[in-house]
Amino acid sequence: MTTLVLGGGAAWGIAHLGVLDVLMTAGYRFDRVVGTSAGAIVGAMLAADVSLDDMKELVKSIQWSDLGHLTVPRLGFMDSSAIETLLEEAIGKDRQFEDLALPLQVVATDIQRGEQWVLDQGSVARAVRASASIPGVFTPVEHQGRLLVDGGLVNNLPVDVAAESGDGPIIAVQLVYAFPHNRPENLLELGLLCFGVMQKSRMKSEAKAADVLIKPDLSGISAADLSAYETLLERGRAAARDELDSLT
């Protein structure tokens, strides 16, 4: 049983679509998906059997303003309910994990307990929204009796989750933060760079259990830059082509 693990990385998650483009064209199919944040968004659409063309069309048109609306800045500047709505439009309203074409696990962070929380039951869209709710930018999501934020805080590439809950090869796509980075221009870019600093020491340990590791070159692109759509797609494709031999 082949598991695909998709890491978090905000706008860099577009590169996941480029990776899928190459792998699926080459005939690779997956039996299970595990994702964090942007990887959870793409993973949920894959698990729901959304076509790659439809995924590209949806992501190509998205702007940050589509992902939330401004709220009173108490626990975040934006409410992330729009993420849930957009995903429901893509995979179907009220879609539950047990209704998916492929088993899916989504990683979020329980901010009160300071621990990882793996979601694989209930509402898919709500779980993915929680996994992608960048703290400080988006308000936390109350779900399953917990206060949840972006899974990248605790496990940006959940290869260990895949290894613990299934057998077979693991293909992981890691969106690696590049340093030094351009000076941040806004709160979103600053928050994403903070994520990068936290994750830097964990990158190797997160990836070591993967049988195949695909790492798109993300240098020169801000994790907040959704306008770099075409470049990120091609960087994902290039990284996947480099690893095709490892998959045979």
Side-chain angles (χ1 to χ4, degrees):
M1 182 170 72
T2 301
T3 300
L4 178 66
V5 177
L6 300 174
W12 289 339
I14 295 166
H16 287 318
L17 301 180
V19 171
L20 288 176
D21 202 354
V22 170
L23 298 186
M24 294 174 76
T25 299
Y28 291 95
R29 296 295 181 267
F30 308 100
D31 303 296
R32 191 166 60 108
V33 187
V34 182
T36 295
S37 198
I41 294 173
V42 174
M45 290 191 287
L46 180 63
D49 205 23
V50 176
S51 74
L52 187 55
D53 285 343
D54 285 346
M55 290 188 214
K56 290 179 185 176
E57 193 62 31
L58 173 66
V59 173
K60 185 176 183 178
S61 62
I62 284 178
Q63 302 296 321
W64 283 106
S65 57
D66 299 323
L67 299 178
H69 60 266
L70 290 176
T71 186
V72 177
R74 189 166 167 222
L75 294 179
F77 284 94
M78 298 176 73
D79 177 87
S80 60
S81 58
I83 296 175
E84 190 171 340
T85 300
L86 281 169
L87 193 60
E88 285 189 328
E89 290 174 358
I91 70 173
K93 190 173 176 61
D94 298 325
R95 196 76 177 267
Q96 305 292 297
F97 278 87
E98 57 266 29
D99 300 328
L100 296 172
L102 298 176
L104 171 70
Q105 291 177 293
V106 168
V107 174
T109 301
D110 181 327
I111 197 65
Q112 290 178 289
R113 296 175 176 84
E115 63 186 22
Q116 171 177 282
W117 186 244
V118 179
L119 298 150
D120 56 10
Q121 298 179 40
S123 167
V124 176
R126 177 59 60 89
V128 171
R129 172 187 170 188
S131 179
S133 289
I134 303 165
V137 177
F138 294 114
T139 54
V141 177
E142 293 190 25
H143 186 52
Q144 297 183 352
R146 293 171 180 255
L147 192 64
L148 303 175
V149 298
D150 198 298
L153 278 177
V154 290
N155 197 346
N156 203 48
L157 188 70
V159 175
D160 58 337
V161 174
E164 288 169 5
S165 55
D167 297 322
I170 296 172
I171 300 171
V173 185
Q174 186 177 47
L175 305 178
V176 178
Y177 285 72
F179 294 95
H181 200 280
N182 294 334
R183 180 185 175 89
E185 300 294 331
N186 51 55
L187 178 62
L188 177 59
E189 289 191 355
L190 178 61
L192 292 171
L193 278 177
C194 290
F195 265 51
V197 172
M198 289 187 295
Q199 293 161 9
K200 189 175 180 181
S201 63
R202 301 201 308 260
M203 286 176 185
K204 290 183 180 179
S205 61
E206 285 178 338
K208 66 181 180 181
D211 296 283
V212 177
L213 181 64
I214 299 173
K215 295 197 298 183
D217 174 14
L218 303 169
S219 58
I221 303 173
S222 167
D225 190 1
L226 290 168
S227 70
Y229 175 83
E230 295 293 346
T231 301
L232 286 165
L233 270 184
E234 189 48 46
R235 298 277 183 95
R237 291 187 188 109
R241 290 188 200 105
D242 288 344
E243 297 297 332
L244 277 179
D245 288 345
S246 302
L247 293 166
T248 56

